[in-house]
Amino acid sequence: NAIMPYMDNSNTERLVNTYSVMILRISFLYLKQTCDAEDVCQEVFLKMLLHDLSFNDIEHEKAWIIRTTINACKDIVRKRAVRNLISIEDVPLPDTAEAEDNLLDKELIEVLQMLPLNYRISLFLFYYEGYKIKEIAEILGKNESAVSAYLSRGRKKLKRILQEDQGGRNLIVGA
């Protein structure tokens, strides 16, 4: 009478292939450190492995993964605050970092890191993951008007930043 685990071999491979890059990108945008992003990715898959999960459909599965990723990132931020660690924002990004290049284009990361967290995450979910405002609101636990404001303000800030840096104008389409 053993229940078939959600993370069987074939499903595990599908989940890792489908979601690992997304988890790493969200985590890196949130935490600004590759090692922490990798830890979050492992933690999300570990939660899937250890818990008896079932999802209504792929959208429900993806939303759960994003929500779990964000919650894991928040846990790390809280732990940092408790330990009073130096902020990564005080440390310059490395010039050659293969891991960051694999997550997102380095220049784009630098530009996105200039935005407040809610703007970064909302823009990522909207443009890179294709979520609608209503879906982002549900994932982030915010109302739709807040998410719309994050997107609007984030695009305006990105436009200003990119206009100041003439060489980077082609980084964001539609900003």
Side-chain angles (χ1 to χ4, degrees), residues 140-157:
L140 297 179
K142 306 282 185 183
N143 62 46
E144 290 179 46
S145 61
V147 173
S148 292
Y150 297 155
L151 290 170
S152 175
R153 292 175 190 152
R155 284 189 291 260
K156 286 177 186 171
K157 283 185 177 257

Side-chain angles (χ1 to χ4, degrees), residues 57-116:
D57 51 33
I58 295 295
E59 290 78 25
H60 182 221
E61 174 185 88
K62 187 174 181 180
W64 183 90
I65 290 171
I66 291 171
R67 184 75 250 160
T68 302
T69 299
I70 291 170
N71 287 341
C73 290
K74 287 180 178 180
D75 289 345
I76 289 175
V77 169
R78 277 191 289 272
K79 288 176 188 172
R80 281 184 190 163
V82 168
R83 286 191 255 146
N84 201 15
L85 296 175
I86 185 170
S87 170
I88 189 63
E89 293 178 41
D90 297 334
V91 179
L93 283 174
D95 289 335
T96 56
E98 184 178 314
E100 280 87 333
D101 290 342
N102 290 337
L103 294 173
L104 284 174
D105 179 74
K106 184 177 178 232
E107 293 176 47
L108 180 56
I109 290 172
E110 289 174 358
V111 172
L112 287 174
Q113 296 299 5
M114 295 177 191
L115 300 176

Side-chain angles (χ1 to χ4, degrees), residues 3-27:
I3 297 173
M4 184 70 163
Y6 188 74
M7 295 282 286
D8 63 14
N9 286 341
S10 64
N11 206 30
T12 300
E13 186 175 339
R14 177 189 68 81
L15 291 166
V16 170
N17 290 337
T18 303
Y19 298 116
S20 60
V21 171
M22 178 191 72
I23 294 168
L24 287 169
R25 286 179 174 170
I26 291 171
S27 302

Side-chain angles (χ1 to χ4, degrees), residues 3-7 47-55:
I3 297 173
M4 184 70 163
Y6 188 74
M7 295 282 286
K47 284 182 181 182
M48 294 185 89
L49 181 65
L50 296 177
H51 293 85
D52 185 24
L53 301 171
S54 64
F55 299 105

